[in-house]
Amino acid sequence: MFIKKEELNLNTLPKHIAFIIDGNGRWAKKRGMPRSFGHKMGMQTVKKIVTDCYDLGIKVVSIFAFSAENWKRPKKEVDYLFNLFYEYLTKNKSLFLEKNIQFRVMGDYTKLPKDLSDEIESVINLTKNNSKLILNIGINYGGQDEILRAVNLAIKDGKELLTKEDFENYLFTKNLSNPDLIIRTSGEERLSNFMLWQCAYSELYFTKTYWPSFNKKQLEKALINYQKRNRKFGAIKEE
Ligand code: IPE
Ligand code: IPE
Ligand code: MG
């Protein structure tokens, strides 16, 4: 029997995709390798998936790279991750400029090692006027911390009653649209403190694939699945 292949509709792609990249450690363990190898290969996947999103014309890509809770991991692993991020930025900043990619960060990056936080700041400034794709990385990021920080910043500004729009100006995602689609790899089906304010009406997609094995084909599968959803935002919308 002939089964029609489902096709991706390039006209109804999400504007903002957020990735909770998970499973680097388990991917490596399954191959008898150290967790660090999983992180290294996971970083390759980040590069490839960002390129795939760029080629598809996605406007905003958020990536949860290091949570405010990931400090609980052994120092050696944390340091390895920070080195990887540093390397990623130094190696890719010219590409960001060439491809008109704006680099942004969610999270308190000033608490990271100085060379990394300086590099982050420099790449943010260097790319701030770029507009083809916004690459928004969550690093030392927690959704609850972000909301609390916003409240405290508003208090500091002498604000009393805020509208939703006022409040959003105090979030790291100021001026960014909310994620239309959140993809989490590795089979875990939770948000782990990711974009708690912004996820209110995001479509959630979970796959068992570990992040280093996630590829363009699987991204397309997630997007086809997203395109079948009926986003209602509380209203009544016929299928
Ligand atoms: C995701 O992979 C990357 C980070 C959280 C930094 P993990 O390191 O969480 O991998 P697992 O979940 O232990 O397999
Ligand atoms: C979520 O992954 C954080 C990132 C992807 C950076 P974790 O592996 O830290 O999440 P939990 O601990 O399984 O919830
Ligand atoms: Mg994990």
Side-chain angles (χ1 to χ4, degrees), residues 1-238:
M1 199 172 69
F2 178 73
I3 300 171
K4 192 172 172 285
K5 196 172 161 279
E6 290 177 302
E7 298 246 357
L8 185 60
N9 180 349
L10 296 175
N11 300 314
T12 57
L13 289 170
K15 183 169 176 232
H16 181 172
I17 311 180
F19 294 92
I20 303 177
I21 64 171
D22 200 10
N24 289 352
R26 280 165 285 167
W27 180 91
K29 194 176 173 206
K30 215 173 103 182
R31 288 161 178 76
M33 299 295 281
R35 292 178 59 82
S36 56
F37 184 62
H39 292 315
K40 192 172 168 191
M41 298 314 282
M43 200 49 120
Q44 300 290 333
T45 303
V46 168
K47 276 187 229 162
K48 281 191 250 162
I49 292 295
V50 170
T51 305
D52 294 336
C53 289
Y54 181 95
D55 292 343
L56 282 167
I58 305 295
K59 294 315 277 176
V60 187
V61 172
S62 291
I63 294 185
F64 200 9
F66 188 86
S67 78
E69 289 76 29
N70 286 147
W71 292 102
K72 294 175 191 165
R73 298 185 180 199
K75 183 167 183 312
K76 219 175 125 208
E77 178 168 345
V78 171
D79 287 345
Y80 186 86
L81 283 167
F82 292 160
N83 280 331
L84 268 184
F85 300 149
Y86 181 79
E87 204 179 289
Y88 173 76
L89 283 180
T90 52
K91 282 198 180 151
N92 285 277
K93 64 183 161 192
S94 53
L95 190 84
F96 294 163
L97 286 175
E98 190 190 307
K99 296 213 152 191
N100 195 11
I101 295 174
Q102 186 187 129
F103 177 77
R104 286 178 62 144
V105 162
M106 304 188 284
D108 184 1
Y109 63 84
T110 64
K111 298 286 182 320
L112 303 172
K114 177 108 174 49
D115 56 347
L116 177 58
S117 71
D118 285 352
E119 186 64 15
I120 288 175
E121 197 148 298
S122 129
V123 181
I124 291 174
N125 285 324
L126 200 65
T127 64
K128 65 172 185 278
N129 297 320
N130 290 354
S131 56
K132 172 119 172 70
L133 171 100
I134 297 174
L135 176 60
N136 176 45
I137 306 280
I139 184 162
N140 190 20
Y141 172 80
Q144 291 176 333
D145 287 349
E146 179 186 34
I147 291 169
L148 205 56
R149 172 181 174 273
V151 171
N152 285 324
L153 287 174
I155 293 171
K156 239 182 166 172
D157 273 358
K159 298 267 185 251
E160 283 182 10
L161 288 172
L162 292 169
T163 62
K164 260 197 275 189
E165 289 72 23
D166 291 334
F167 184 74
E168 286 174 347
N169 283 327
Y170 290 100
L171 296 172
F172 290 119
T173 47
K174 180 180 175 182
N175 298 330
L176 281 188
S177 64
N178 290 330
D180 300 294
L181 172 64
I182 298 180
I183 297 177
R184 183 171 186 151
T185 55
S186 92
E188 307 300 344
E189 300 191 350
R190 56 177 169 268
L191 290 170
S192 301
N193 204 8
F194 185 61
M195 298 187 96
L196 297 184
W197 174 276
Q198 299 86 344
C199 76
Y201 273 101
S202 303
E203 296 296 328
L204 308 179
Y205 181 87
F206 300 103
T207 168
K208 286 202 163 56
T209 305
Y210 294 142
W211 177 251
S213 298
F214 192 77
N215 58 26
K216 188 173 186 190
K217 218 170 156 191
Q218 308 203 15
L219 174 66
E220 283 174 356
K221 193 173 160 206
L223 291 170
I224 289 168
N225 182 291
Y226 165 84
Q227 289 178 334
K228 285 196 254 173
R229 313 260 180 115
N230 184 13
R231 301 187 78 190
K232 295 192 276 194
F233 303 95
I236 296 163
K237 207 172 141 201
E238 299 303 327

